[in-house]
Amino acid sequence: MGLFTDHQPMFVEVETTTYCNRRCTYCPNSVFDRGLRANEVRMPEELFHKIVQDLGRNHFCHQFSPHNYGEPLADERMPHLLEMARREMPLARIALYTNGDFLTPELFERIDSSVDAFVITQHGEKMPPGVKRILDASGGTHPKIRYKTAQSIKLNASNRAGLIPMRVKRRKACGVVMNELHINAHGQLILCCEDFLARKVFGNMRDMTIEEAWSSEERMRVHRANVRGDFALDQCVTCGHGRIT
């Protein structure tokens, strides 16, 4: 048995689209044009299938989320991709992170069987109308929905490894990414969820198996050093959390 079988990542994040309809001040999409529709990059369906199939073959049983900095429900392929993920990874916990702007009761019903948890963050002043209809129909709450507002993000916001100008308490050490795999829409295995610009890439999933990605010597070397607080990468040195007022 390989390393992946003995010790799986707790969280695998796969970005299907770079497009996001919002430009929140606490997100790098407000600073860079990566998230614009005009610059949209979509992960090819065959690559997404390769990744989830490989995870399923390795009995992946932790959390899988089809997002990064793009809005997953802005990708009209998402219902199909979620069905594919559910089929290939029957043991996984599939969590969909969304701003809720594109979520309707009809879409919710369509994807509900493929999703274990919906994490919806309200970024505007009002709850998205579709989300309100879903919650109203279930008496104000739903067992699969975790709902939060942007205010909760602002109370402990990340500076996205130095991309968002704000006062932060810098990390003394970081063990989070030892337990995670993050893959962007290009198929690149990036440093972590803070690596918006893919400044550190360990390879491309077009050419790697999930076992090779997880056990990459360079990835392990960087993250083991991060656990000790021995940051070698600039984005790790500058990464921290603080309050946005």
Side-chain angles (χ1 to χ4, degrees), residues 47 50 75 90 96-97 106 111 115 149 168 175 191 201 211 216 220 225 229 232 243:
L47 179 56
K50 173 186 179 294
D75 184 347
L96 183 69
Y97 287 72
E106 295 75 23
I111 64 179
V115 178
T149 65
V168 297
L191 177 68
V201 174
E211 171 76 15
S216 159
M220 296 294 286
R243 181 187 295 264

Side-chain angles (χ1 to χ4, degrees), residues 210-230:
I210 202 70
E211 171 76 15
E212 290 167 339
W214 186 232
S215 59
S216 159
E217 283 189 23
E218 184 183 17
R219 193 192 75 84
M220 296 294 286
R221 184 170 62 252
V222 169
H223 294 327
R224 281 171 177 157
N226 282 2
V227 168
R228 300 191 301 269
D230 184 16

Side-chain angles (χ1 to χ4, degrees), residues 22-237:
R22 288 193 173 268
R23 298 291 171 268
C24 304
T25 57
Y26 39 84
C27 175
N29 278 325
S30 66
V31 181
F32 300 91
D33 61 6
R34 180 182 186 271
L36 298 178
R37 180 68 89 181
N39 298 325
E40 183 180 18
V41 174
R42 289 190 172 189
M43 176 176 283
E45 184 177 319
E46 58 270 22
L47 179 56
F48 183 88
H49 185 224
K50 173 186 179 294
I51 294 168
V52 297
Q53 188 176 56
D54 205 4
L55 284 164
R57 237 187 333 248
N58 281 276
H59 310 290
F60 181 64
C61 61
H62 296 300
Q63 182 164 308
F64 175 88
S65 291
H67 86 289
N68 187 15
Y69 285 92
E71 166 51 44
L73 293 182
D75 184 347
E76 70 275 1
R77 305 173 302 167
M78 188 50 59
H80 171 62
L81 296 179
L82 287 168
E83 288 173 3
M84 181 191 298
R86 179 79 290 158
R87 181 176 66 250
E88 298 292 351
M89 301 182 299
L91 303 178
R93 178 182 187 269
I94 298 179
L96 183 69
Y97 287 72
T98 174
N99 60 33
D101 291 346
F102 298 91
L103 191 58
T104 64
E106 295 75 23
L107 179 57
F108 183 82
E109 185 177 353
R110 183 178 175 190
I111 64 179
D112 181 44
S113 60
S114 300
V115 178
D116 296 293
F118 293 81
V119 183
I120 304 173
T121 304
Q122 175 187 316
H123 296 289
E125 293 183 2
K126 296 181 179 180
M127 181 181 289
V131 176
K132 188 176 187 307
R133 288 168 58 200
I134 294 166
L135 291 177
D136 286 348
S138 57
T141 61
H142 190 284
K144 281 192 178 183
I145 293 178
R146 177 188 167 200
Y147 193 83
K148 56 183 181 177
T149 65
Q151 190 59 34
S152 63
I153 295 175
K154 293 178 181 180
L155 290 176
N156 189 35
S158 166
N159 70 345
R160 300 303 182 185
L163 297 183
I164 302 296
M166 57 182 284
R167 253 175 133 177
V168 297
K169 182 178 181 181
R170 292 184 180 173
R171 297 179 187 270
K172 293 181 179 179
C174 182
V176 174
V177 284
M178 276 295 291
N179 290 307
E180 302 178 0
L181 286 178
H182 296 268
I183 302 161
N184 67 18
H186 297 274
Q188 295 169 317
L189 178 64
I190 58 177
L191 177 68
C192 67
C193 61
E194 309 286 3
D195 196 7
F196 177 81
L197 296 176
R199 289 188 287 175
K200 183 58 186 176
V201 174
F202 298 110
N204 196 295
M205 295 308 299
R206 298 173 189 270
D207 313 308
M208 307 170 75
T209 65
I210 202 70
E211 171 76 15
E212 290 167 339
W214 186 232
S215 59
S216 159
E217 283 189 23
E218 184 183 17
R219 193 192 75 84
M220 296 294 286
R221 184 170 62 252
V222 169
H223 294 327
R224 281 171 177 157
N226 282 2
V227 168
R228 300 191 301 269
D230 184 16
F231 298 132
L233 300 174
D234 289 342
Q235 58 265 48
C236 296
V237 173

